[in-house]
Amino acid sequence: METGRTSCVSQQIMGFSASGDVVNYTSVRQMTWSDVLQRASKVVTFFDLAGHEKYLKTTVFGLTAHAPDYCMLVVGANMGVLRMTKEHLAISLALKVPTFVVVTKIDISPQHVLDQTLTHLQRLLKSPGARKLPVLIKSEEEMTVCAQNIVNDRVVPIFQISSVTGQGLNLLRSFLNIAPSRRNWLAQREEATEFSIDETFVVSGVGTVVAGTTLSGSIAAGQVLSLGPDGCGKFISVQVKSVQYKRTSVKRLVAGQSGSLALKKIKRSAVRKGMVLLDSRTKAGAVYEFKAEVLVMYHGTTIRENYQPVIHCTTIRQAAKVISIDKEVVRTGDRAIIHFRFLYSPEYVKTEARFIFREGRTKGLGRVIETFPCS
């Protein structure tokens, strides 16, 4: 290990019993994910994203691909609010992901430095760009009220914890236990199957395995689905050999669950991040070009035709070219209707999908308003 920096998206789970106790730990042996799933009545999944600027594209991919319910922004009390803290907060606000802040290492931070950090955070969250209501959590009552209202994306709870002394950890654990799911996944389960692929790998003795999130419907072993789009925008039929959820073999995945699927008679080279698995009855179409309503969050100069940013939309991460803009130039803070074209291969893009585009420090937020399917 060279630096200790997070450079890829990693996962961890925390299970809660019906009484609200954490079930991950035992004095006898280390618990596996299967053990946690069996003992827990509620499971919280953490996606650990990179904090360093060098790995910003990985962080953006994690936020767009995994459909998180909430974003936990971790700030070192002794380090204060850094430039990347503001960057990550801006991205979560742009994607409309409700956020809560955890200020760590309060045991080694001098009191005046901790006060400065908290004041800076509150000022940042109240600023015109954020317009949030920061709440310093000091009691069970405040924590309960914030957990009930965080779904509205107005309140931002701020927890102060120390992993060494354990101060504040009980409030954070209780908050994670009672915070509700942000989406109505039960209604999504009745719709046609859609599974977005964010990772591919080969397991010896099993074959090609894809990992991702079930956005709607359900997937069972033996089910036939449409995989695509490939480089030509085509979809092919594939059969699911086996299904795993949280490293445990299960019979099916349902909407809202992330898991992995083993596919029959398909090479890994035929699958890539950004592809989707759809219900075989769905008339799927790939898109080379789309039109979007865009807000430029930061850009050093101006955006014109032929500008080429990287588009992050769900699991899609691909460079696109600006074909046309409804105004001559676009600068920081401007809104515009922009026509994009993917540079390398068509993608599965739906209207109303939110995306982030970036190039260096340039960042913008967009919403797809029209797609142009491949002919």
Side-chain angles (χ1 to χ4, degrees), residues 169-294:
L169 282 175
N170 282 339
L171 286 173
L172 180 59
R173 288 195 196 103
S174 300
F175 174 81
L176 292 171
N177 180 36
I178 65 175
S181 177
R182 194 160 58 98
R183 293 177 176 81
N184 183 9
W185 290 113
L186 285 173
Q188 298 287 90
R189 292 176 189 180
E190 305 303 318
E191 298 181 10
T193 301
E194 182 181 339
F195 180 89
S196 65
I197 296 171
D198 58 54
E199 198 67 67
T200 67
F201 40 93
V202 175
V203 178
S204 57
V206 177
T208 302
V209 176
V210 298
T213 307
T214 315
L215 301 177
S216 62
S218 61
I219 300 174
Q223 190 172 339
V224 176
L225 300 167
S226 297
L227 171 68
D230 59 13
C232 301
K234 298 286 190 294
F235 283 75
I236 58 171
S237 290
V238 294
Q239 188 173 11
V240 178
K241 190 161 44 173
S242 60
V243 181
Q244 279 203 345
Y245 170 66
K246 309 293 185 203
R247 303 178 189 171
T248 307
S249 292
V250 293
K251 290 182 179 179
R252 65 172 55 234
L253 282 178
V254 295
Q257 293 182 338
S258 55
S260 52
L261 313 171
L263 303 180
K264 267 187 185 176
K265 297 178 182 176
I266 189 92
K267 292 183 178 178
R268 186 189 176 186
S269 57
V271 191
R272 61 178 172 83
K273 288 181 184 179
M275 280 184 160
V276 290
L277 285 164
L278 302 174
D279 193 299
S280 54
R281 294 164 293 180
T282 304
K283 188 181 177 184
V287 168
Y288 248 125
E289 299 181 12
F290 65 94
K291 206 175 269 189
E293 186 182 11
V294 163

Side-chain angles (χ1 to χ4, degrees), residues 14-62:
M14 178 182 278
F16 292 94
S17 66
S19 59
D21 298 319
V22 178
V23 300
N24 287 51
Y25 314 110
T26 174
S27 57
V28 180
R29 61 183 176 86
Q30 191 167 357
M31 300 274 284
T32 64
W33 282 26
S34 299
D35 296 331
V36 174
L37 289 178
Q38 286 175 354
R39 296 178 61 181
S41 59
K42 176 179 179 176
V43 176
V44 176
T45 305
F46 295 96
F47 293 95
D48 183 21
L49 307 181
H52 195 266
E53 183 178 10
K54 182 180 176 183
Y55 307 110
L56 182 63
K57 66 176 184 180
T58 305
T59 303
V60 174
F61 178 80

Side-chain angles (χ1 to χ4, degrees), residues 109-120 122:
S109 173
Q111 187 59 46
H112 72 280
V113 177
L114 173 61
D115 293 340
Q116 280 178 0
T117 301
L118 294 172
T119 305
H120 195 170
Q122 289 173 298

